Amino acid sequence: MKKILLAATMLAPMPALAAPPAMSAADTAATRAMFETLINTPTVLGRGKVPEAANYLAGEFKKAGFPEADIHVLPYDTKGDKTAAFMVRWRAATPSKQKPIILMAHMDVVEAKREDSTTDPFVLTEKDGYYYGRGTTDIKEGITGVSRALIQLKAAGFTPKRDVVVFFTGDEETNGIGAEKGANEWRELMGNPELGLNADGGGIGYTTADKPMGASIQTAEKTFANYTFTALNRGGHSSKPRKDNAIYDLSHALDRLEAYKFEPMQNETSRAYFAARAKIGPAPLTDAINKWLKDPKDYAAADFIEADEGEAGLTRTRCVATRLFGGHADNALPQLATANINCRIFPGVDPNTTLAELQKIAGESVKVTRNDNYVASLASPLRPDVTAAYTKAVTTLHPGMPITPEMSTGASDARPFRVAGIPVYGVGGAWVRVPVDLRAHGKDERLPVKALDDGVKHWMIMVTEMAGK
């Protein structure tokens, strides 16, 4: 899932704190070569190319001098498709009381068709100051940034004072099994880590005039969950219609869902976000935000905020119908009608609680069932060490860039780690121009050329700050 940039997130700008890390012409060339290899490898569901990307990365780390015993390509099955995770454990120079940190991203990408794109989505193309190709922003720039940062730090003689674990999954865009394995089955292989730093979260935005717009550190995300509304009926001949009808019953339930408003909620992250958001206008929206921050029970204010397209999904759980099926013949009354309901549930709320709420909405004539067994996503606390490291990385490379916490409405590999008690922070180093570059999962995905090297530098600062002190 692509990181979501909250462009309206404005805090007081901070000055640059240090000179950015240097990159030689050889470093830039090696970074581009890695990026090109990864983009040109179509790591989409069903093509079996993720293990190829993982083995390529393993070779690059071996060439850089990382011990082979600490480099792992971990094959696994994701509901019938063969994929793999990639892991490197860069051990501290001397035993450390600090637990390891994880640097996270995912190697898989969403499918893209050649006829839907201006350039071949699986051939890196450079033009007009951009790199084009599937995964340029979601999230092979993060894979490249993390990998090249560690390779360059090792070449420069840096030695971590705590273990640094690279963990890239192979099915984040589909089933998320790799992240589940990482948070549980492979946890000991990682050294029982203390926290994760996720390249697939947060982000940095500029205006189309290259003015700083905002950077976000993702500390929470909503729980992704699917439910099915099912209406059953005895059916009959269509020439003899009756009041009871599976399609009508389902339609009425969906009407009620459309009109329903879940209870507004706040947490540490969303309060910090809205406190910053209230400083930049426009007045009707900021007035509502200030009212809601002052009184979380002011549901009218929360409703006004939620009605704003830019703030939708940030005040509460949201559920929406995404797929429909009904009937079995043109001349028969329907015996079955179903709808898929996709919910993005506020962190900390049990999806079973949402199930019960949906059943009340649907009514007696429609049965609601869960389609997955996901548990509630949890928010990560705002740790001073992580926020300080991210602030230094962002302001060093992007002077004057305001920063704030973010609760994303999407989902990522962070969820199972947070559920397992390992806090994760979305601290991606990519920057794009908003809104013209927000093309993840869509046509002509692209990344500014300069942003690729900046991503490497970003992760060099993050690792130095989090593992070098």
Side-chain angles (χ1 to χ4, degrees), residues 129-361:
Y130 283 93
Y131 289 124
Y132 286 80
R134 178 59 91 223
T136 47
T137 59
D138 188 14
I139 178 76
K140 290 180 177 179
E141 58 78 19
I143 297 281
T144 304
V146 167
S147 299
R148 286 298 308 168
L150 295 193
I151 289 170
Q152 288 175 207
L153 284 171
K154 185 171 180 61
F158 174 81
T159 53
K161 291 182 170 56
R162 68 196 303 176
D163 288 9
V164 177
V165 178
V166 174
F167 183 60
F168 301 152
T169 61
D171 67 331
E172 190 272 352
E173 297 289 5
T174 52
N175 299 303
I177 294 173
E180 293 283 353
K181 286 179 171 288
N184 298 285
E185 181 180 333
W186 297 328
R187 184 167 178 164
E188 289 300 320
L189 188 61
M190 297 182 188
N192 193 25
E194 180 179 355
L195 60 90
L197 304 176
N198 192 7
D200 192 28
I204 303 161
Y206 281 88
T207 69
T208 53
D210 287 338
K211 302 295 183 182
M213 177 174 279
S216 58
I217 174 172
Q218 191 245 54
T219 55
E221 61 187 26
K222 298 176 88 173
T223 305
F224 176 100
N226 280 319
Y227 302 82
T228 297
F229 279 18
T230 301
L232 298 173
N233 191 277
R234 58 191 172 94
H237 202 288
S238 62
S239 67
K240 296 287 187 180
R242 302 186 309 273
K243 184 176 181 180
D244 62 299
N245 181 297
I247 289 178
Y248 295 161
D249 289 343
L250 178 63
S251 298
H252 298 326
L254 295 178
D255 283 340
R256 290 190 291 273
L257 176 64
E258 179 188 14
Y260 188 78
K261 295 177 181 178
F262 287 84
E263 180 182 0
M265 306 182 77
Q266 299 178 10
N267 60 21
E268 181 186 30
T269 296
S270 64
R271 285 189 64 85
Y273 165 75
F274 279 115
R277 178 67 181 84
K279 297 177 181 179
I280 63 169
L285 179 60
T286 56
D287 289 346
I289 291 172
N290 286 323
K291 288 179 181 178
W292 190 45
L293 289 175
K294 184 177 180 179
D295 179 11
K297 296 298 184 182
D298 189 337
Y299 291 176
D303 291 347
F304 188 90
I305 298 166
E306 189 67 27
D308 184 279
E309 188 172 334
E311 312 305 325
L314 298 180
T315 70
R316 67 194 72 195
T317 294
R318 293 295 298 267
C319 295
V320 61
T322 57
R323 300 182 70 179
L324 284 170
F325 171 84
H328 61 282
D330 290 345
N331 59 348
L333 298 176
Q335 294 176 262
L336 171 70
T338 66
N340 185 80
I341 309 301
N342 180 245
C343 293
R344 306 302 174 115
I345 303 169
F346 202 85
V349 175
D350 186 343
N352 286 322
T353 300
T354 304
L355 171 66
E357 199 162 353
L358 288 172
Q359 186 62 73
K360 290 180 180 179
I361 298 166

